[in-house]
Amino acid sequence: MPLVDVPGAKIDPDGVFKYILIKVTEKATKNEKLIVRGYARCAYHGDVLDETEKELGTDYELLCLGGGRIKHESKNHSILVYGYSQGYGPADHQIMFSLVINSCEHFTSMSLRNVPDVDIDPEGVFKYIMIKVTAKSTSEEKMIVRGYKHCKWHKNIFKQTEKEIGASFSLKCVGGGRIMHEPQKKSLFVYGYSQRYGPAKHEQTVNLLQKKYPEYKITYSYEGY
């Protein structure tokens, strides 16, 4: 198969699943292109890469540039791209989204209601930020919470979220802190502050977390760092 015939995007028609962004290099010509692959049947991002290597064969070299997840609702003509790969790191979601849009014209851009209010790591102690998200087309706003162990600084979380949400929104960090997530105890503790952004309104953070984790005991403190 010549490189020009390699589909730019192949993803499942519905559901929530992992995806990866891949740089494909044709060995004979050294020509390159970026492609997207995502399948619900693949438990890990590495499985998506393995399947794509089988799909394209030995004429190509493949390099995974990162990953994430896709929520595809074909009946609503909607796709939400978010998250990251633990093995490959976060993909550039804006590039991924452009590839999907070019391949599948029926998709619409993400609406504000499709942006998750909360996305935090499933356990551990990590930094978090609160972000005001504004839809550029409608000026609608809402607050969201993001927190990840792999982000060393609060600003890293902000930059990752900018990539995830895309160019349809403007983002402003309104503060940060830390979260201790203990799933075995069904407990979340919000505390501290960000040296760069100052403290978030932890009460508001707790309210957002409680909606996602209704069975949890969630507490907060402005003490500590």
Side-chain angles (χ1 to χ4, degrees), residues 27 34 120-121 151 167 191 209-210:
K27 293 179 181 178
L34 297 180
I120 63 171
D121 276 352
C151 291
Y191 66 99
L209 290 171
Q210 200 74 70

Side-chain angles (χ1 to χ4, degrees), residues 80 110-119 130-135 138-146 161 165 169-174 204 208 211:
L80 171 64
M110 188 196 314
S111 67
L112 186 62
R113 66 180 177 82
N114 292 134
V115 176
D117 291 344
V118 173
D119 186 29
M130 178 174 283
I131 304 169
K132 182 170 74 172
V133 182
T134 305
T138 64
S139 297
E140 290 181 283
E141 299 177 348
K142 76 172 185 178
M143 295 294 186
I144 65 172
V145 170
R146 296 293 185 270
T161 307
I165 292 180
F169 304 96
S170 61
L171 276 63
K172 180 181 179 181
C173 182
V174 296
Q204 194 170 3
L208 290 171
K211 292 177 183 178

Side-chain angles (χ1 to χ4, degrees), residues 35-97:
I35 66 171
V36 170
R37 295 294 185 269
Y39 311 114
R41 61 184 175 271
C42 293
Y44 300 101
H45 291 94
D47 297 334
V48 183
L49 182 62
D50 290 343
E51 184 162 325
T52 308
E53 287 177 333
K54 292 178 182 177
E55 170 199 342
L56 298 185
T58 58
D59 293 333
Y60 298 98
E61 292 180 354
L62 276 63
L63 176 65
C64 182
L65 302 178
R69 292 177 184 264
I70 291 173
K71 181 179 181 181
H72 187 180
E73 297 177 308
S74 58
K75 66 178 181 180
N76 296 327
H77 305 299
S78 173
I79 184 169
L80 171 64
V81 186
Y82 65 99
Y84 61 95
S85 163
Q86 290 186 337
Y88 302 115
D92 188 322
H93 295 325
Q94 293 188 50
I95 292 176
M96 176 275 171
F97 198 74

Side-chain angles (χ1 to χ4, degrees), residues 133-207:
V133 182
T134 305
K136 294 179 180 178
S137 60
T138 64
S139 297
E140 290 181 283
E141 299 177 348
K142 76 172 185 178
M143 295 294 186
I144 65 172
V145 170
R146 296 293 185 270
Y148 312 114
K149 282 188 288 188
H150 68 271
C151 291
K152 184 177 180 180
W153 309 110
H154 289 95
K155 68 178 181 180
N156 299 143
I157 304 172
F158 185 74
K159 289 180 179 179
Q160 178 174 321
T161 307
E162 282 186 316
K163 290 181 179 180
E164 290 177 1
I165 292 180
S168 299
F169 304 96
S170 61
L171 276 63
K172 180 181 179 181
C173 182
V174 296
R178 293 178 186 261
I179 292 175
M180 179 185 292
H181 190 176
E182 299 179 285
Q184 69 279 9
K185 296 181 180 179
K186 292 188 176 180
S187 172
L188 284 161
F189 178 48
V190 183
Y191 66 99
Y193 62 95
S194 163
Q195 289 185 335
R196 185 181 185 92
Y197 301 114
K201 292 184 178 179
H202 296 328
E203 302 94 328
Q204 194 170 3
T205 301
V206 168
N207 289 336

